[in-house]
Amino acid sequence: ATQDFDIYSRGADIDAGGLACNLDGWFGGWNAWDDNARLTAYFIDDFGQITGSLTVGPVLAADRTNVSGLYLRGAATNVPPGTRTIHCVLLMTPTVSFYNNAFADNLSLTLASTTAPRLASAISGNSAILSWPLSAGDWTLQSATDLAATPVYWVDLPPPYQTNGATVSLTLSNLTTVPAQFFRLRQ
């Protein structure tokens, strides 16, 4: 299966090295069979030349300890300068017979600016005020509790946000119920 994404509108970010590509999805198979799936994003320039690629998967029988199932896999890289199209290919490969018992589900490609505005914080007791420039008012605040996870699960902290003419902010309270919490802005 294939799908193309036209990313001409992000050309300035791409050529400045400021656009990241994240691929993730659930990959697996059946029992002790090594039938497998992998998702590859090929970065292509205006001339149809591949400028780079990013692959997630496969999950083989040994990865699943010979048990049928799906495992989350993810990878990220900066989109190479000159890229204007992303060509995604889902390849499912049978290894034992002509039946293909490879699994893939909830596949995702996301693009994110790597030139995010600076996020400031002010902490008092078990509360925090997170703020960022009003010029980045269309960005969404996200939080995660485990940066070592693969991939990291970021959760949107939706508006309403407060504004004061120069900054956008969100006040969070009762932060002591979570051992560690991390924040970022996403466009």
Side-chain angles (χ1 to χ4, degrees):
T2 65
Q3 186 170 0
D4 288 343
F5 298 94
D6 177 337
I7 55 172
Y8 273 86
S9 64
R10 302 298 299 268
D13 288 340
I14 294 165
D15 294 343
L19 192 67
C21 177
N22 301 292
L23 281 182
D24 60 60
W26 293 83
F27 297 88
W30 179 260
N31 284 336
W33 294 12
D34 269 335
D35 294 359
N36 63 80
R38 72 184 76 217
L39 177 64
T40 301
Y42 295 98
F43 305 109
I44 301 172
D45 67 13
D46 277 333
F47 305 103
Q49 299 300 308
I50 295 173
T51 59
S53 66
L54 179 64
T55 299
V56 290
V59 173
L60 302 176
D63 300 322
R64 298 179 278 105
T65 61
N66 295 332
V67 175
S68 299
L70 294 166
Y71 289 83
L72 184 62
R73 295 291 187 257
T77 190
N78 276 352
V79 176
T83 300
R84 295 299 180 262
T85 302
I86 300 176
H87 177 69
C88 290
V89 177
L90 175 63
L91 180 64
M92 301 180 88
T93 306
T95 60
V96 176
S97 70
F98 58 90
Y99 292 108
N100 192 343
N101 291 298
F103 305 151
D105 198 7
N106 291 342
L107 304 176
S108 172
L109 179 146
T110 57
L111 300 174
S113 176
T114 58
T115 56
R118 185 174 172 89
L119 183 62
S121 63
I123 300 171
S124 175
N126 65 350
S127 296
I129 299 172
L130 303 169
S131 62
W132 57 98
L134 185 61
S135 61
D138 60 338
W139 289 61
T140 301
L141 183 63
Q142 293 184 316
S143 71
T145 57
D146 183 3
L147 295 182
T150 305
V152 176
Y153 291 102
W154 290 98
V155 177
D156 287 354
L157 298 175
Y161 303 132
Q162 302 296 316
T163 60
N164 69 4
T167 63
V168 179
S169 65
L170 179 66
T171 301
L172 302 169
S173 25
N174 299 323
L175 293 178
T176 57
T177 60
V178 178
Q181 200 163 8
F182 306 92
F183 301 96
R184 74 174 184 184
L185 291 169
R186 178 187 61 84
Q187 190 174 32

